Amino acid sequence: MAGTDRLRQITDAVRSAGRAGVAELAALTGASEMTIRRDLEVLAEQGILERYRGGARSLLLRGEEPPFALRTQEGLDAKRRIAAEVAGLIADGESVVLDSGTTCLEVARVLEHRRLTVVPLSLHAVNALAGAAQLTLLVPGGRPRQGELALTGPLTQASLAALRFDTAVIGCCGLTAADGLTAYDLDDAAVKRAAIASSRRVIAVAEAAKLTRTALAFVTAASALDAVVTDETATDEETDRLAAAGVTVRKV
Amino acid sequence: MAGTDRLRQITDAVRSAGRAGVAELAALTGASEMTIRRDLEVLAEQGILERYRGGARSLLLRGEEPPFALRTQEGLDAKRRIAAEVAGLIADGESVVLDSGTTCLEVARVLEHRRLTVVPLSLHAVNALAGAAQLTLLVPGGRPRQGELALTGPLTQASLAALRFDTAVIGCCGLTAADGLTAYDLDDAAVKRAAIASSRRVIAVAEAAKLTRTALAFVTAASALDAVVTDETATDEETDRLAAAGVTVRKV
DNA sequence: CGTAGCGAACAAATATTACGTTCGAAAGAT
DNA sequence: ATCTTTCGAACGTAATATTTGTTCGCTACG
C-alpha cells in the first residue's frame, strides 16, 4: 500500500499545524483532493483527527500517545530485534503473560510456533496467536480499549489473579531508573501491575526512546524488573543506571 | 474467490468416498493437479483431511461437527434472517451474552452498530465487534478452541459468574422439545449453561436442521428458553412441540 | 534404480484495491 | 434567496495482489 506513507504525511501535517485544508494536503502529498478526502475519512474513523468542511483538525493532543496503527510501523526493525531477543530468554514449556503494545505484539509473532502457554493482554496479540497449534493460548477477560485492544478492568485483574506465570513480558511508555516503569493509561498500569504480581520473572521491553521518558501512571520500580531488552541506540548512560538498579540489560 | 467452491467440492468428494486421488479431483473440478495439491494443503491445515502421496483421506468422522470455516457458508441466508430477527428482539441499552457458533456470529454482525453491552463467547464475534464504537464490548476470559475460537474453561465460567445479562443469545447443535438444547462439546455446554444462568431471558437460535437433532451434551430443557428463532423450513411438527413447552417460536 | 508424485520457481490470468475524474447535491457564504 | 465551494457517489483506469497453470529438478516409494 503506497497510501500508508501518505497517511503518515497527512497525520503529521495535521498534527503539527493543529488543522489543515484539503487543497493544502493535496498539494503537499501530490494526490488528488478526492484521495485526500478518503484518507481523512479513514483517519477520522481511527480517531486521529476530526473532519470539518474543507479540511480536518487534529485530535491528537500533544504529549498524548499516538494511535496504535501508527505506532506499529515505527521502528519496526528495532521491535523485531527486541522480540527475537526476548524469545531467546524464554524456555519451552513456560507460561508467559504478554503485555499490550506494539513491541509485545512483535514478541507474540515470534512466539507463535513455540511450545508455550501464553496469556496476551491485547486482542491484537490474541489474534496473532489464535492459529498457533503448538501453543496453548489463554485469553484473559476484560474490556478492550479502542484501537489498542488492550484488555483492562476488573475481569482482566481477576483473570490474572487466578493465574501464575513463569515470565511476564511487559511493555511500557516510559522506563527510567529514577521513575521506574510508567504507562500513559491508569487502567493499563493496573493490569501491568497485576501481571507482574502473578509472575516469577519480569522482562521489560522498551525501545531506546522510552528510556528517557516518564509517563503518567507509575507501574513498578526498575529494581523489580529482572531484565530489560532495548535497542542498540540506547545510551550507556541510561542503561548503566538501570544495570545499577540490579536489572540485566540487553541491547540488540 | 472462485476457489471456495472448488474447496467445497473437494471436501465433499473426499468426505463421501473417505479418500480421493489428486488426478481424480483434478478431473472432477477441472483444475490442474498443482491447484488441487495447493487446495489439499489448505484443507489439511484446517484439519479437514490428511494428505498422503497421491491424494488425501478425510478426517471428518461421520456425525462429527464439520469445521467452522465450512459451516460459516452453509445456509448463510437463513442465518442472516435469523440474526436480523434476533436483533429485533433486543432493545437498546441491554446487556447481551452472545454464544459461539456461526449463527451467533451473524447476530454479532447485525448488532455491531447498536448501543449495547455485548459479551461474546467466541473470538470470531469479538473480532467482528472490536471496531464498534457505540457498543460496549466485554471479553470473557477462557481458552479458545481451535478453529471455532469458542472460549471455554474455568476462566470463562468465572467471567460469566461475575456478570448478569438481560439476554443470552444461545446457539446449539441440537434442539428438540424432548431432549432440550444440546451441544457437541462438553466444555461448550458448560459455558452455555453458565451464560444462561446469568441471564434474565434466553433466546436460542437454530436453523431448521437442528430442530431434528440431538447432540451429546445436554445444556438445558426447552422449557427454560424464552424464545427460539429458526428459519422457515422448520416443520410445524417441531415448532409446535416447542411452543407447547412454553417457548415463543419465530420462523423467518 | 526407475517412476510417479511432489513442490519450488516462474509466468499468465484474474480479482482486488487504489486513485483520479466527473457530476449532482448539500453546506455555507453573500 | 442565490451563489460558491466542498462533498461524496459513481464510474473508469491503473496499479497491485492473488490465484492458477507450467516447467523442472527432487524425493519417496515400489
Side-chain angles (χ1 to χ4, degrees), chain B residues 55-136:
Chain B
R57 86 184 98 257
S58 177
L59 285 177
L60 264 42
L61 273 39
R62 250 165 302 280
E64 212 171 52
E65 197 172 27
F68 191 85
L70 256 62
R71 285 182 293 133
T72 36
Q73 299 307 108
E74 273 165 19
L76 194 53
D77 255 29
K79 284 169 190 176
R80 294 242 168 91
R81 284 198 309 277
I82 291 174
E85 180 69 19
V86 169
L89 295 174
I90 295 172
D92 274 2
E94 282 195 30
S95 60
V96 178
V97 55
L98 187 59
D99 198 12
S100 55
T102 55
T103 311
C104 288
L105 178 53
E106 291 305 319
V107 176
R109 300 220 165 96
V110 174
L111 296 181
E112 185 173 358
H113 297 294
R114 295 283 299 275
R115 190 178 289 275
L116 298 165
T117 300
V118 179
V119 179
L121 298 174
S122 145
L123 291 182
H124 288 298
V126 168
N127 288 328
L129 297 174
Q134 303 254 1
L135 189 136
T136 300

Side-chain angles (χ1 to χ4, degrees), chain A residues 47-69:
Chain A
I48 294 172
L49 47 77
E50 189 183 28
R51 296 220 47 194
Y52 62 85
R53 197 172 178 79
R57 85 186 97 256
S58 178
L59 286 177
L60 263 43
L61 274 40
R62 250 166 303 279
E64 211 172 52
E65 197 171 27
F68 191 86

Side-chain angles (χ1 to χ4, degrees), chain A residues 1-3 6 30-32 34-35 38 53:
Chain A
M1 194 194 298
R6 192 181 52 238
S32 75
M34 190 62 232
T35 301
R38 280 189 273 241
R53 197 172 178 79

Side-chain angles (χ1 to χ4, degrees), chain B residues 1-3 6 30-32 34-35 38 53:
Chain B
M1 196 194 298
R6 192 182 51 238
S32 74
M34 189 63 230
T35 301
R38 281 190 274 241
R53 198 172 177 80

Side-chain angles (χ1 to χ4, degrees), chain B:
Chain B
M1 196 194 298
T4 301
D5 191 44
R6 192 182 51 238
L7 287 179
R8 165 85 42 107
Q9 269 188 288
I10 294 174
T11 306
D12 289 347
V14 171
R15 176 156 47 171
S16 70
R19 63 194 176 78
V22 171
E24 181 185 339
L25 291 168
L28 174 71
T29 60
S32 74
E33 298 201 356
M34 189 63 230
T35 301
I36 297 295
R37 283 195 201 99
R38 281 190 274 241
D39 287 345
L40 292 180
E41 196 178 356
V42 169
L43 294 171
E45 232 163 58
Q46 289 181 31
I48 293 173
L49 48 77
E50 189 183 29
R51 297 218 48 195
Y52 60 85
R53 198 172 177 80
R57 86 184 98 257
S58 177
L59 285 177
L60 264 42
L61 273 39
R62 250 165 302 280
E64 212 171 52
E65 197 172 27
F68 191 85
L70 256 62
R71 285 182 293 133
T72 36
Q73 299 307 108
E74 273 165 19
L76 194 53
D77 255 29
K79 284 169 190 176
R80 294 242 168 91
R81 284 198 309 277
I82 291 174
E85 180 69 19
V86 169
L89 295 174
I90 295 172
D92 274 2
E94 282 195 30
S95 60
V96 178
V97 55
L98 187 59
D99 198 12
S100 55
T102 55
T103 311
C104 288
L105 178 53
E106 291 305 319
V107 176
R109 300 220 165 96
V110 174
L111 296 181
E112 185 173 358
H113 297 294
R114 295 283 299 275
R115 190 178 289 275
L116 298 165
T117 300
V118 179
V119 179
L121 298 174
S122 145
L123 291 182
H124 288 298
V126 168
N127 288 328
L129 297 174
Q134 303 254 1
L135 189 136
T136 300
L137 179 63
L138 216 54
V139 181
R143 185 156 151 46
R145 197 144 41 86
Q146 194 62 253
E148 201 81 4
L149 300 188
L151 295 162
T152 57
L155 281 182
T156 313
Q157 310 264 0
S159 295
L160 291 175
L163 300 165
R164 290 295 177 273
F165 307 99
D166 294 308
T167 304
V169 177
I170 304 291
C172 61
C173 304
L175 171 57
T176 66
D179 292 324
L181 192 149
T182 50
Y184 279 113
D185 189 276
L186 282 174
D187 295 326
D188 258 1
V191 169
K192 286 181 208 292
R193 255 197 307 276
I196 291 171
S198 290
S199 302
R200 220 162 34 85
R201 178 176 66 148
V202 181
I203 302 175
V205 294
E207 303 97 278
K210 292 177 174 171
L211 297 185
T212 57
R213 278 200 220 123
T214 296
L216 172 70
F218 174 78
V219 175
T220 188
S223 58
L225 305 174
D226 294 283
V228 171
V229 181
T230 185
D231 64 86
E232 54 191 355
T233 64
T235 65
D236 287 337
E237 196 185 347
E238 293 299 330
T239 56
D240 286 351
R241 275 205 283 261
L242 287 169
V247 185
T248 306
V249 179
R250 303 239 183 177
K251 289 195 208 181
V252 291

